[in-house]
Amino acid sequence: MKILILGGTTEARELAGVLAGRADLAVTLSLAGRTVTPVPQPVPVRTGGFGGAEGLAAYLRDERIEALIDATHPYAGIISANAVRAAAQANVPFLALRRAAWQQMRGDQWIEAANVAEAVEVLGKAPRRVFLALGRKEIEPFEAAPQHIYLVRSVDPVDPPLAVPHAIYLTARGPFGEADDRALLERHRIDVIVAKNSGGEASYGKIGAARALHLPVVMLPRPALPEAESVQKVEDVVAWLDHAVTVAATRGV
Ligand SMILES: NC(=O)c1ccc[n+]([C@@H]2O[C@H](COP(=O)([O-])OP(=O)(O)OC[C@H]3O[C@@H](n4cnc5c(N)ncnc54)[C@H](OP(=O)(O)O)[C@@H]3O)[C@@H](O)[C@H]2O)c1
């Protein structure tokens, strides 16, 4: 059975690793091609956009894909919407792996912002030391508030840098543990964090560290995603695929 996984996440790599050794599956992982040096993957990779939902539907047909798994990041709303449409157009069985959002716990001080522009407003007029836990392509709106000192952590360098007088750049790839993130926040005397509610373990360190240090977290909302069959764990995808393989084999007989 030919499977396409839309990836770019830890879970997609884990899923590919679980499926890589199976003789009954031929798995391809799709990456957008955003990171300059992507981590090695356990299955063959194709890279770059498909050209919208229609392009993805055409790919599914051309490559005779028999199951599509959307394992992209919860904030990758466009590709996730395209995946639902393309699977329907190409009549390919579809499953989304959607991480549960983090829930606020006692001691958390989350401030919900409607979008990045509102997050910039929430920071206020007085200069603050801000940890931007966002992608390098999402931070430009913070140029509207040059009074703050920004700490930016991204996989690839921020190029061009923000047009603000005070910004510190770190390049690092997760997972990020709580102890390390706490040390980072303390070292840079951070007052406030701006983050996405990504869910999962790999980027939760800063949230736990913020709680321990009594720091507010300005949280950006998840994009609305279309209704689709979805699960939250890699093992649930594997179970779904096992069922799909059995159904296909029965049909073949
Ligand atoms: N957004 C985040 O916060 C975040 C965080 C960590 C990792 N990622 C990963 O980074 C990638 C891009 O995220 P994004 O938020 O920029 O996506 P997006 O806004 O939802 O998608 C924009 C366009 O990028 C292309 N694309 C996205 N993911 C793709 C994939 N896995 N394979 C092939 N093409 C893809 C598609 O182009 P076409 O329309 O031409 O097909 C899509 O329309 C995704 O793989 C995602 O899992 C995102």
Side-chain angles (χ1 to χ4, degrees):
M1 179 177 249
K2 289 187 82 176
I3 315 288
L4 180 66
I5 302 172
L6 302 173
T9 57
T10 311
E11 287 87 345
R13 201 169 81 250
E14 276 173 22
L15 175 63
V18 173
L19 302 179
R22 285 183 51 167
D24 57 342
L25 303 176
V27 182
T28 302
L29 184 77
S30 175
L31 297 176
R34 299 277 193 276
T35 44
V36 179
T37 50
V39 289
Q41 299 285 347
V43 297
V45 170
R46 60 134 334 263
T47 304
F50 296 94
E54 284 66 29
L56 178 53
Y59 179 93
L60 296 175
R61 285 194 211 95
D62 292 349
E63 297 295 322
R64 300 183 184 282
I65 300 296
E66 295 168 89
L68 175 64
I69 311 292
D70 174 19
T72 57
H73 191 271
Y75 282 71
I78 298 172
I79 188 72
S80 292
N82 288 351
V84 174
R85 277 179 50 204
Q89 275 178 32
N91 198 21
V92 169
F94 174 79
L95 185 68
L97 174 57
R98 292 182 179 166
R99 289 180 203 161
W102 299 318
Q103 300 300 317
Q104 278 205 72
M105 289 172 51
R106 202 186 161 123
D108 282 331
Q109 300 173 48
W110 291 5
I111 303 161
E112 309 285 344
N115 48 45
V116 182
E118 196 174 299
V120 176
E121 288 293 313
V122 165
L123 296 179
K125 298 243 179 302
R128 300 172 89 183
R129 301 180 70 93
V130 185
F131 177 36
L132 295 182
L134 305 178
R136 69 193 161 115
K137 294 188 192 312
E138 296 159 323
I139 59 176
E140 207 183 297
F142 291 90
E143 291 181 346
Q147 71 275 27
H148 304 301
I149 297 169
Y150 294 105
L151 173 66
V152 183
R153 179 170 66 190
S154 54
V155 174
D156 293 311
V158 177
D159 186 21
L162 285 180
V164 297
H166 306 291
I168 302 156
Y169 300 97
L170 299 175
T171 49
R173 206 190 288 271
F176 302 108
E178 183 173 329
D180 287 346
D181 272 357
R182 181 175 176 158
L184 179 79
L185 297 174
E186 287 181 316
R187 189 160 63 249
H188 291 278
R189 292 178 286 119
I190 294 299
D191 301 313
V192 56
I193 298 169
V194 184
K196 292 184 278 200
N197 191 334
S198 298
E201 302 279 317
S203 57
Y204 191 71
K206 60 181 177 281
I207 305 297
R211 184 185 314 123
L213 296 171
H214 310 290
L215 297 180
V217 179
V218 181
M219 200 67 95
L220 297 174
R222 287 182 164 206
L225 298 178
E227 285 286 311
E229 186 175 355
S230 65
V231 294
Q232 295 185 352
K233 292 193 160 42
V234 167
E235 60 258 39
D236 297 331
V237 180
V238 177
W240 183 88
L241 278 170
D242 285 340
H243 179 69
V245 168
T246 312
V247 170
T250 315
R251 247 195 251 124
V253 173

